[in-house]
Amino acid sequence: MELIKNILQGKSIAGQILYGIADIMPFPNLLNVYRSVIKDRPYLSKWEVTMEVVGRIDIVRFAVAVVLAYLIVSGKLTTQTATEILALF
């Protein structure tokens, strides 16, 4: 359990690699929110930590980012279509 905690807190090389990968993702970095929660309130149970993390993220922003990431990865959203959509606004 301590190994997983060190990874999620970024205190190990595996954790630093995980944070490096998460930093380039196009959606909010949940690992930073998790790290903040367990630093601020280390006495919480796993369920309470999960609820606190969910409470701290912006759900709409996260959902939009996940949908856009899916569209880009699947090839349904290209720079050309994105430009056309932006031109409408």
Side-chain angles (χ1 to χ4, degrees):
M1 190 64 186
E2 191 67 27
L3 175 66
I4 294 172
K5 185 177 178 182
N6 286 338
I7 289 172
L8 291 176
Q9 289 179 337
K11 293 182 178 178
S12 66
I13 295 201
Q16 291 172 345
I17 292 169
L18 185 62
Y19 274 90
I21 293 168
D23 285 341
I24 63 170
M25 295 296 175
F27 46 83
N29 190 340
L30 295 178
L31 292 174
N32 284 333
V33 177
Y34 173 79
R35 184 191 303 184
S36 172
V37 169
I38 60 175
K39 182 179 179 186
D40 294 346
R41 302 174 71 188
Y43 52 86
L44 294 178
S45 70
K46 294 174 193 174
W47 177 252
E48 290 170 326
V49 168
T50 302
M51 291 293 95
E52 185 76 19
V53 168
V54 169
R56 288 189 185 191
I57 62 172
D58 182 350
I59 299 296
V60 173
R61 180 178 170 197
F62 183 75
V64 168
V66 169
V67 168
L68 287 174
Y70 167 75
L71 292 173
I72 291 168
V73 169
S74 68
K76 295 178 179 167
L77 182 65
T78 63
T79 54
Q80 181 181 357
T81 56
T83 304
E84 291 170 0
I85 292 170
L86 288 175
L88 293 174
F89 292 107

Coordinates of all heavy atoms in Angstrom, one line a residue:
M1 N 0.8 -1.2 0.0 CA 0.0 0.0 0.0 C 0.9 1.3 0.0 O 0.5 2.2 -0.6 CB -0.9 -0.1 1.2 CG -2.0 1.0 1.2 SD -3.1 0.7 -0.2 CE -4.1 2.1 -0.1
E2 N 2.0 1.2 0.7 CA 2.9 2.4 0.8 C 3.5 2.6 -0.6 O 3.7 3.8 -0.9 CB 4.0 2.1 1.8 CG 4.8 3.3 2.2 CD 4.0 4.4 2.9 OE1 3.0 4.1 3.6 OE2 4.4 5.6 2.8
L3 N 3.8 1.6 -1.3 CA 4.3 1.7 -2.7 C 3.4 2.5 -3.6 O 3.8 3.4 -4.3 CB 4.7 0.4 -3.3 CG 5.2 0.4 -4.7 CD1 6.5 1.1 -4.8 CD2 5.3 -1.0 -5.3
I4 N 2.1 2.1 -3.6 CA 1.1 2.8 -4.4 C 0.9 4.2 -3.9 O 0.8 5.2 -4.8 CB -0.3 2.0 -4.3 CG1 -0.1 0.7 -5.0 CG2 -1.4 2.8 -4.9 CD1 -1.3 -0.2 -4.8
K5 N 1.0 4.5 -2.6 CA 0.9 5.8 -2.1 C 2.0 6.7 -2.6 O 1.8 7.8 -3.0 CB 0.8 5.8 -0.6 CG 0.6 7.1 0.1 CD 0.5 7.0 1.6 CE 0.3 8.4 2.2 NZ 0.2 8.2 3.7
N6 N 3.2 6.1 -2.5 CA 4.4 6.9 -3.0 C 4.3 7.2 -4.5 O 4.8 8.2 -5.0 CB 5.7 6.1 -2.7 CG 6.1 6.2 -1.2 OD1 5.6 7.1 -0.5 ND2 6.8 5.2 -0.8
I7 N 3.8 6.2 -5.3 CA 3.7 6.4 -6.7 C 2.7 7.6 -7.0 O 2.9 8.5 -7.7 CB 3.2 5.1 -7.4 CG1 4.4 4.2 -7.4 CG2 2.8 5.4 -8.9 CD1 4.1 2.8 -8.0
L8 N 1.5 7.5 -6.3 CA 0.5 8.5 -6.5 C 0.9 9.9 -6.0 O 0.4 10.9 -6.5 CB -0.9 8.0 -5.9 CG -1.5 6.9 -6.6 CD1 -2.8 6.4 -5.8 CD2 -1.9 7.2 -8.0
Q9 N 1.7 9.9 -5.0 CA 2.2 11.2 -4.5 C 3.4 11.7 -5.3 O 3.8 12.8 -5.1 CB 2.6 11.1 -3.1 CG 1.5 10.9 -2.1 CD 1.9 10.8 -0.7 OE1 3.0 10.4 -0.4 NE2 1.0 11.1 0.2
G10 N 3.9 10.9 -6.3 CA 5.0 11.4 -7.1 C 6.4 11.3 -6.4 O 7.3 12.0 -6.7
K11 N 6.5 10.5 -5.3 CA 7.7 10.4 -4.5 C 8.6 9.4 -5.0 O 9.7 9.2 -4.4 CB 7.3 10.2 -3.1 CG 6.6 11.3 -2.4 CD 6.3 11.0 -0.9 CE 5.6 12.2 -0.3 NZ 5.3 11.9 1.1
S12 N 8.3 8.6 -6.0 CA 9.2 7.6 -6.6 C 9.4 7.9 -8.1 O 8.7 8.7 -8.7 CB 8.5 6.2 -6.4 OG 7.3 6.1 -7.2
I13 N 10.3 7.2 -8.7 CA 10.6 7.4 -10.1 C 9.4 7.0 -10.9 O 9.0 7.7 -11.9 CB 11.8 6.6 -10.5 CG1 13.0 7.1 -9.8 CG2 12.0 6.6 -12.0 CD1 14.4 6.9 -10.3
A14 N 8.7 5.9 -10.5 CA 7.5 5.5 -11.3 C 6.4 6.6 -11.1 O 5.7 6.9 -12.1 CB 7.0 4.2 -10.7
G15 N 6.3 7.2 -10.0 CA 5.4 8.3 -9.8 C 5.7 9.5 -10.6 O 4.8 10.2 -11.2
Q16 N 7.0 9.8 -10.7 CA 7.4 11.0 -11.5 C 7.1 10.7 -13.0 O 6.7 11.7 -13.7 CB 8.9 11.3 -11.3 CG 9.2 11.8 -9.9 CD 10.7 11.9 -9.6 OE1 11.5 11.3 -10.3 NE2 11.0 12.6 -8.5
I17 N 7.3 9.5 -13.4 CA 7.0 9.2 -14.8 C 5.5 9.3 -15.0 O 5.1 9.9 -16.1 CB 7.5 7.8 -15.2 CG1 9.0 7.7 -15.2 CG2 6.9 7.3 -16.5 CD1 9.6 6.4 -15.3
L18 N 4.7 8.8 -14.1 CA 3.3 8.9 -14.2 C 2.8 10.3 -14.3 O 2.0 10.7 -15.1 CB 2.6 8.2 -13.0 CG 1.1 8.1 -13.0 CD1 0.6 7.3 -14.2 CD2 0.7 7.4 -11.7
Y19 N 3.4 11.2 -13.4 CA 3.1 12.6 -13.5 C 3.5 13.3 -14.8 O 2.8 14.1 -15.3 CB 3.7 13.4 -12.3 CG 2.8 13.3 -11.1 CD1 2.9 12.3 -10.1 CD2 1.8 14.3 -10.8 CE1 2.1 12.2 -9.0 CE2 1.0 14.2 -9.7 CZ 1.2 13.2 -8.8 OH 0.4 13.1 -7.7
G20 N 4.7 12.9 -15.3 CA 5.1 13.4 -16.6 C 4.1 13.1 -17.7 O 3.8 13.9 -18.5
I21 N 3.6 11.8 -17.7 CA 2.7 11.4 -18.7 C 1.4 12.2 -18.5 O 0.8 12.7 -19.5 CB 2.4 9.9 -18.7 CG1 3.7 9.2 -19.1 CG2 1.2 9.5 -19.5 CD1 3.7 7.7 -18.9
A22 N 0.9 12.3 -17.3 CA -0.3 13.0 -17.0 C -0.3 14.5 -17.3 O -1.3 15.1 -17.7 CB -0.7 12.9 -15.5
D23 N 0.9 15.1 -17.2 CA 1.1 16.5 -17.6 C 0.8 16.8 -19.0 O 0.4 17.9 -19.3 CB 2.5 17.0 -17.2 CG 2.7 17.2 -15.7 OD1 1.7 17.3 -15.0 OD2 3.8 17.2 -15.2
I24 N 1.0 15.9 -19.9 CA 0.8 16.2 -21.3 C -0.6 15.8 -21.8 O -0.9 16.1 -22.9 CB 1.9 15.4 -22.2 CG1 1.7 13.9 -22.1 CG2 3.3 15.9 -21.9 CD1 2.5 13.2 -23.1
M25 N -1.4 15.2 -20.9 CA -2.7 14.9 -21.3 C -3.6 16.2 -21.4 O -3.3 17.1 -20.7 CB -3.4 14.0 -20.2 CG -2.7 12.6 -20.1 SD -2.9 11.7 -21.7 CE -2.0 10.3 -21.3
P26 N -4.6 16.1 -22.3 CA -5.4 17.4 -22.5 C -6.5 17.6 -21.5 O -7.3 18.4 -21.8 CB -5.9 17.1 -23.9 CG -6.1 15.6 -24.0 CD -4.9 15.1 -23.2
F27 N -6.5 16.9 -20.5 CA -7.5 17.1 -19.5 C -6.9 17.4 -18.1 O -5.7 17.1 -17.9 CB -8.6 16.0 -19.4 CG -8.0 14.6 -19.4 CD1 -7.5 14.0 -18.3 CD2 -7.9 13.9 -20.6 CE1 -7.0 12.8 -18.3 CE2 -7.3 12.6 -20.6 CZ -6.9 12.1 -19.4
P28 N -7.7 17.9 -17.2 CA -7.1 18.2 -15.8 C -6.4 17.0 -15.2 O -6.8 15.9 -15.3 CB -8.4 18.6 -15.0 CG -9.4 19.0 -16.0 CD -9.1 18.1 -17.2
N29 N -5.3 17.3 -14.6 CA -4.4 16.3 -14.0 C -5.0 15.9 -12.6 O -4.9 16.6 -11.6 CB -3.0 16.9 -13.8 CG -2.0 15.8 -13.4 OD1 -2.4 14.8 -12.9 ND2 -0.8 16.1 -13.6
L30 N -5.7 14.8 -12.6 CA -6.3 14.3 -11.4 C -5.3 13.9 -10.3 O -5.6 13.9 -9.1 CB -7.2 13.1 -11.7 CG -8.5 13.4 -12.6 CD1 -9.3 12.2 -12.8 CD2 -9.3 14.5 -11.9
L31 N -4.1 13.5 -10.8 CA -3.1 13.2 -9.8 C -2.7 14.4 -8.9 O -2.4 14.2 -7.8 CB -1.8 12.6 -10.6 CG -2.0 11.3 -11.3 CD1 -0.8 11.0 -12.1 CD2 -2.3 10.2 -10.3
N32 N -2.6 15.5 -9.5 CA -2.3 16.7 -8.7 C -3.4 17.0 -7.7 O -3.2 17.4 -6.6 CB -2.1 17.9 -9.6 CG -0.7 17.9 -10.2 OD1 0.2 17.3 -9.7 ND2 -0.6 18.5 -11.4
V33 N -4.7 16.8 -8.1 CA -5.8 17.0 -7.2 C -5.7 16.0 -6.1 O -5.9 16.3 -4.9 CB -7.1 16.9 -7.9 CG1 -8.3 17.0 -7.0 CG2 -7.2 18.0 -9.0
Y34 N -5.4 14.7 -6.4 CA -5.3 13.6 -5.4 C -4.2 14.0 -4.5 O -4.3 13.9 -3.2 CB -5.0 12.3 -6.1 CG -4.7 11.2 -5.2 CD1 -5.7 10.5 -4.5 CD2 -3.4 10.8 -4.9 CE1 -5.4 9.5 -3.6 CE2 -3.1 9.8 -4.1 CZ -4.1 9.2 -3.4 OH -3.8 8.2 -2.5
R35 N -3.0 14.4 -5.0 CA -1.9 14.7 -4.1 C -2.2 15.9 -3.2 O -1.9 15.8 -2.0 CB -0.7 15.2 -5.0 CG 0.6 15.4 -4.1 CD 1.7 16.1 -4.9 NE 2.1 15.4 -6.0 CZ 3.1 15.7 -6.8 NH1 3.8 16.8 -6.5 NH2 3.5 15.1 -7.8
S36 N -3.0 16.8 -3.6 CA -3.4 18.0 -2.8 C -4.3 17.5 -1.7 O -4.2 17.9 -0.5 CB -4.1 19.0 -3.7 OG -4.6 20.0 -2.9
V37 N -5.3 16.6 -2.0 CA -6.2 16.1 -1.0 C -5.5 15.3 0.1 O -5.7 15.6 1.2 CB -7.3 15.2 -1.7 CG1 -8.1 14.5 -0.7 CG2 -8.2 16.1 -2.6
I38 N -4.6 14.4 -0.3 CA -4.0 13.6 0.7 C -3.0 14.4 1.5 O -2.6 14.0 2.6 CB -3.4 12.3 0.2 CG1 -2.3 12.6 -0.9 CG2 -4.4 11.4 -0.4 CD1 -1.6 11.3 -1.3
K39 N -2.5 15.5 0.9 CA -1.6 16.4 1.7 C -2.4 17.2 2.7 O -1.9 17.3 3.9 CB -0.8 17.3 0.8 CG 0.2 18.2 1.5 CD 1.0 19.0 0.5 CE 1.9 19.9 1.2 NZ 2.6 20.9 0.3
D40 N -3.5 17.7 2.3 CA -4.3 18.6 3.1 C -5.0 17.8 4.2 O -5.2 18.3 5.3 CB -5.4 19.3 2.3 CG -4.8 20.4 1.4 OD1 -3.6 20.7 1.5 OD2 -5.5 20.8 0.5
R41 N -5.5 16.6 3.9 CA -6.3 15.8 4.8 C -5.8 14.3 4.8 O -6.5 13.5 4.3 CB -7.7 15.9 4.4 CG -8.2 17.4 4.4 CD -9.5 17.6 3.9 NE -10.5 17.1 4.9 CZ -11.8 17.0 4.6 NH1 -12.3 17.4 3.5 NH2 -12.6 16.5 5.5
P42 N -4.6 14.0 5.3 CA -4.1 12.7 5.3 C -4.9 11.6 6.1 O -4.7 10.4 5.9 CB -2.7 12.8 5.8 CG -2.8 14.0 6.7 CD -3.8 14.9 6.1
Y43 N -5.8 12.0 6.9 CA -6.5 11.1 7.8 C -7.8 10.5 7.1 O -8.4 9.7 7.6 CB -6.9 11.8 9.0 CG -7.6 13.1 8.8 CD1 -9.0 13.2 8.6 CD2 -6.9 14.3 8.8 CE1 -9.6 14.3 8.3 CE2 -7.6 15.5 8.5 CZ -8.9 15.5 8.3 OH -9.5 16.7 8.0
L44 N -8.1 11.0 5.9 CA -9.3 10.5 5.2 C -9.2 9.1 4.7 O -8.1 8.6 4.4 CB -9.6 11.4 4.0 CG -10.0 12.8 4.2 CD1 -10.2 13.6 2.9 CD2 -11.2 13.0 5.1
S45 N -10.3 8.4 4.7 CA -10.4 7.0 4.1 C -10.3 7.1 2.6 O -10.4 8.2 2.0 CB -11.6 6.3 4.5 OG -12.8 6.9 3.9
K46 N -10.1 6.0 2.0 CA -10.0 5.9 0.5 C -11.3 6.5 -0.1 O -11.2 7.2 -1.1 CB -9.8 4.5 0.0 CG -8.5 3.9 0.4 CD -8.4 2.4 0.0 CE -7.2 1.8 0.7 NZ -7.2 0.3 0.5
W47 N -12.4 6.1 0.4 CA -13.7 6.6 -0.2 C -13.8 8.1 0.0 O -14.2 8.8 -0.9 CB -14.8 5.9 0.5 CG -16.2 6.4 0.0 CD1 -17.1 7.2 0.7 CD2 -16.8 6.2 -1.2 NE1 -18.2 7.4 0.0 CE2 -18.0 6.9 -1.2 CE3 -16.4 5.5 -2.4 CZ2 -18.8 6.9 -2.4 CZ3 -17.2 5.5 -3.5 CH2 -18.4 6.2 -3.5
E48 N -13.4 8.6 1.2 CA -13.5 10.1 1.4 C -12.5 10.8 0.5 O -12.8 11.9 0.1 CB -13.2 10.4 2.9 CG -14.3 9.9 3.9 CD -13.9 9.9 5.3 OE1 -12.7 9.7 5.6 OE2 -14.7 10.2 6.1
V49 N -11.3 10.3 0.3 CA -10.4 10.9 -0.6 C -11.0 11.0 -2.0 O -10.9 12.0 -2.7 CB -9.0 10.1 -0.6 CG1 -8.1 10.6 -1.8 CG2 -8.3 10.3 0.7
T50 N -11.6 9.9 -2.5 CA -12.2 9.8 -3.8 C -13.3 10.9 -3.9 O -13.3 11.6 -4.9 CB -12.8 8.4 -4.1 OG1 -11.8 7.5 -4.0 CG2 -13.4 8.4 -5.4
M51 N -14.1 11.0 -2.9 CA -15.2 12.0 -2.9 C -14.6 13.4 -2.9 O -15.2 14.3 -3.6 CB -16.2 11.8 -1.7 CG -17.0 10.5 -1.8 SD -18.2 10.5 -3.2 CE -17.3 9.7 -4.5
E52 N -13.6 13.6 -2.2 CA -12.9 14.9 -2.1 C -12.3 15.3 -3.5 O -12.5 16.5 -3.9 CB -11.9 15.0 -1.0 CG -11.2 16.3 -0.8 CD -12.1 17.3 0.0 OE1 -13.0 16.8 0.7 OE2 -11.8 18.5 -0.1
V53 N -11.7 14.4 -4.1 CA -11.1 14.6 -5.4 C -12.2 14.9 -6.4 O -12.1 15.9 -7.2 CB -10.3 13.4 -5.9 CG1 -9.9 13.5 -7.4 CG2 -9.0 13.2 -5.1
V54 N -13.3 14.2 -6.4 CA -14.4 14.4 -7.4 C -15.0 15.8 -7.1 O -15.3 16.5 -8.0 CB -15.5 13.3 -7.2 CG1 -16.7 13.7 -8.0 CG2 -14.9 12.0 -7.8
G55 N -15.1 16.2 -5.8 CA -15.6 17.5 -5.4 C -14.7 18.6 -5.9 O -15.2 19.7 -6.1
R56 N -13.5 18.4 -6.0 CA -12.5 19.5 -6.4 C -12.4 19.7 -7.9 O -11.9 20.7 -8.3 CB -11.2 19.3 -5.7 CG -11.1 19.4 -4.3 CD -9.7 19.4 -3.7 NE -9.7 19.4 -2.3 CZ -8.6 19.6 -1.6 NH1 -7.4 19.7 -2.2 NH2 -8.6 19.6 -0.3
I57 N -12.8 18.7 -8.7 CA -12.5 18.9 -10.1 C -13.8 19.6 -10.7 O -14.9 19.5 -10.2 CB -12.3 17.6 -10.9 CG1 -13.4 16.6 -10.8 CG2 -11.0 17.0 -10.4 CD1 -13.3 15.4 -11.6
D58 N -13.5 20.3 -11.8 CA -14.6 20.9 -12.6 C -15.1 19.9 -13.6 O -14.5 19.6 -14.6 CB -14.0 22.1 -13.3 CG -15.1 22.9 -14.1 OD1 -16.2 22.4 -14.2 OD2 -14.8 24.0 -14.6
I59 N -16.3 19.3 -13.3 CA -16.8 18.2 -14.1 C -17.0 18.6 -15.5 O -16.7 17.8 -16.4 CB -18.1 17.7 -13.4 CG1 -17.8 17.2 -12.0 CG2 -18.7 16.6 -14.2 CD1 -16.9 16.0 -11.9
V60 N -17.6 19.7 -15.8 CA -17.9 20.2 -17.1 C -16.6 20.3 -17.9 O -16.5 19.7 -19.0 CB -18.7 21.5 -17.2 CG1 -18.8 22.0 -18.6 CG2 -20.0 21.3 -16.5
R61 N -15.6 20.9 -17.4 CA -14.3 21.1 -18.1 C -13.7 19.7 -18.3 O -13.2 19.5 -19.4 CB -13.4 22.0 -17.2 CG -12.1 22.2 -17.8 CD -11.2 23.1 -17.0 NE -9.9 23.1 -17.4 CZ -8.8 23.5 -16.7 NH1 -9.0 24.0 -15.5 NH2 -7.6 23.5 -17.2
F62 N -13.7 18.9 -17.3 CA -13.2 17.5 -17.5 C -13.9 16.7 -18.6 O -13.2 16.1 -19.4 CB -13.2 16.8 -16.1 CG -12.6 15.4 -16.2 CD1 -11.2 15.3 -16.1 CD2 -13.4 14.3 -16.2 CE1 -10.6 14.1 -16.2 CE2 -12.8 13.0 -16.2 CZ -11.4 12.9 -16.2
A63 N -15.2 16.8 -18.6 CA -16.0 16.1 -19.6 C -15.7 16.6 -21.0 O -15.5 15.8 -21.9 CB -17.5 16.2 -19.3
V64 N -15.6 17.9 -21.2 CA -15.3 18.5 -22.5 C -13.9 18.0 -22.9 O -13.7 17.7 -24.1 CB -15.4 20.0 -22.4 CG1 -14.8 20.7 -23.7 CG2 -16.9 20.4 -22.2
A65 N -13.0 18.1 -22.0 CA -11.6 17.7 -22.4 C -11.5 16.2 -22.8 O -10.8 15.9 -23.7 CB -10.7 18.0 -21.2
V66 N -12.2 15.3 -22.1 CA -12.2 13.9 -22.4 C -12.9 13.7 -23.8 O -12.4 12.9 -24.6 CB -12.9 13.1 -21.3 CG1 -13.1 11.7 -21.7 CG2 -12.1 13.1 -20.0
V67 N -14.0 14.3 -24.0 CA -14.7 14.2 -25.3 C -13.8 14.7 -26.4 O -13.6 14.0 -27.5 CB -16.0 14.9 -25.3 CG1 -16.6 15.0 -26.7 CG2 -17.0 14.2 -24.4
L68 N -13.2 15.9 -26.3 CA -12.3 16.4 -27.3 C -11.1 15.5 -27.5 O -10.7 15.3 -28.6 CB -11.8 17.8 -26.9 CG -12.9 18.9 -27.1 CD1 -12.4 20.2 -26.6 CD2 -13.3 19.0 -28.5
A69 N -10.5 15.0 -26.4 CA -9.4 14.0 -26.6 C -9.8 12.8 -27.4 O -9.1 12.4 -28.2 CB -8.9 13.6 -25.2
Y70 N -11.0 12.3 -27.1 CA -11.5 11.1 -27.8 C -11.6 11.5 -29.3 O -11.2 10.7 -30.2 CB -12.8 10.6 -27.3 CG -13.5 9.7 -28.2 CD1 -13.0 8.3 -28.3 CD2 -14.6 10.1 -29.0 CE1 -13.6 7.5 -29.2 CE2 -15.2 9.2 -29.8 CZ -14.7 7.9 -29.9 OH -15.3 7.0 -30.8
L71 N -12.2 12.6 -29.6 CA -12.5 13.0 -31.0 C -11.1 13.2 -31.7 O -11.0 12.8 -32.9 CB -13.3 14.3 -31.1 CG -14.7 14.2 -30.6 CD1 -15.4 15.5 -30.6 CD2 -15.5 13.2 -31.5
I72 N -10.1 13.7 -31.1 CA -8.8 13.9 -31.7 C -8.1 12.6 -31.9 O -7.7 12.3 -33.0 CB -8.0 14.9 -30.9 CG1 -8.5 16.3 -30.9 CG2 -6.5 14.9 -31.4 CD1 -7.9 17.2 -29.9
V73 N -8.1 11.7 -30.9 CA -7.5 10.4 -31.1 C -8.1 9.6 -32.1 O -7.5 8.8 -32.9 CB -7.4 9.7 -29.7 CG1 -6.9 8.3 -29.8 CG2 -6.4 10.5 -28.8
S74 N -9.5 9.6 -32.1 CA -10.2 8.8 -33.1 C -10.2 9.3 -34.5 O -10.6 8.7 -35.4 CB -11.6 8.6 -32.6 OG -12.3 9.8 -32.8
G75 N -9.6 10.5 -34.7 CA -9.5 11.1 -36.0 C -10.8 11.8 -36.5 O -10.9 12.3 -37.6
K76 N -11.8 11.9 -35.6 CA -13.0 12.6 -36.0 C -12.9 14.1 -35.9 O -13.8 14.8 -36.5 CB -14.2 12.1 -35.1 CG -14.4 10.6 -35.3 CD -15.5 10.1 -34.4 CE -15.7 8.7 -34.7 NZ -16.4 7.9 -33.9
L77 N -11.9 14.6 -35.2 CA -11.7 16.1 -35.1 C -10.3 16.3 -35.6 O -9.3 15.9 -35.0 CB -11.9 16.6 -33.7 CG -11.7 18.1 -33.5 CD1 -12.8 18.8 -34.2 CD2 -11.7 18.4 -32.0
T78 N -10.2 17.0 -36.7 CA -8.9 17.4 -37.3 C -8.7 18.9 -37.2 O -9.6 19.6 -36.8 CB -8.8 17.0 -38.8 OG1 -9.8 17.7 -39.5 CG2 -9.1 15.5 -38.9
T79 N -7.5 19.4 -37.6 CA -7.3 20.8 -37.5 C -8.2 21.5 -38.5 O -8.7 22.6 -38.2 CB -5.8 21.1 -37.8 OG1 -5.5 20.5 -39.1 CG2 -4.9 20.6 -36.8
Q80 N -8.5 20.9 -39.6 CA -9.4 21.5 -40.6 C -10.9 21.7 -40.0 O -11.5 22.7 -40.1 CB -9.5 20.7 -41.9 CG -10.4 21.4 -42.9 CD -10.4 20.5 -44.2 OE1 -9.8 19.5 -44.3 NE2 -11.2 21.0 -45.1
T81 N -11.4 20.6 -39.4 CA -12.7 20.7 -38.9 C -12.8 21.6 -37.6 O -13.8 22.3 -37.4 CB -13.3 19.3 -38.5 OG1 -12.4 18.6 -37.6 CG2 -13.5 18.4 -39.7
A82 N -11.7 21.6 -36.8 CA -11.7 22.5 -35.7 C -11.7 23.9 -36.2 O -12.3 24.8 -35.6 CB -10.4 22.2 -34.9
T83 N -10.9 24.2 -37.2 CA -10.9 25.6 -37.8 C -12.3 26.0 -38.3 O -12.7 27.1 -38.1 CB -9.9 25.7 -38.9 OG1 -8.6 25.3 -38.4 CG2 -9.7 27.1 -39.5
E84 N -13.0 25.1 -39.0 CA -14.3 25.4 -39.5 C -15.3 25.6 -38.3 O -16.1 26.5 -38.4 CB -14.8 24.2 -40.3 CG -14.0 24.1 -41.6 CD -14.4 22.8 -42.4 OE1 -15.2 22.0 -41.9 OE2 -13.8 22.5 -43.4
I85 N -15.2 24.9 -37.3 CA -16.0 25.1 -36.1 C -15.8 26.4 -35.5 O -16.7 27.2 -35.1 CB -15.9 23.9 -35.1 CG1 -16.4 22.6 -35.7 CG2 -16.6 24.2 -33.8 CD1 -16.1 21.4 -34.9
L86 N -14.5 26.8 -35.3 CA -14.1 28.0 -34.7 C -14.6 29.2 -35.6 O -15.0 30.3 -35.1 CB -12.6 28.1 -34.4 CG -12.1 27.3 -33.3 CD1 -10.6 27.3 -33.2 CD2 -12.7 27.7 -32.0
A87 N -14.6 29.0 -36.9 CA -15.0 30.1 -37.8 C -16.5 30.4 -37.6 O -17.0 31.5 -37.9 CB -14.7 29.7 -39.2
L88 N -17.3 29.4 -37.2 CA -18.7 29.6 -37.0 C -19.0 30.5 -35.8 O -20.0 31.2 -35.8 CB -19.4 28.3 -36.7 CG -19.5 27.3 -37.9 CD1 -20.1 26.0 -37.4 CD2 -20.3 27.9 -39.0
F89 N -18.1 30.5 -34.9 CA -18.2 31.4 -33.7 C -17.6 32.8 -34.0 O -17.8 33.7 -33.4 CB -17.5 30.8 -32.5 CG -18.2 29.6 -32.0 CD1 -17.7 28.3 -32.2 CD2 -19.5 29.6 -31.4 CE1 -18.3 27.2 -31.7 CE2 -20.1 28.5 -30.9 CZ -19.5 27.3 -31.1

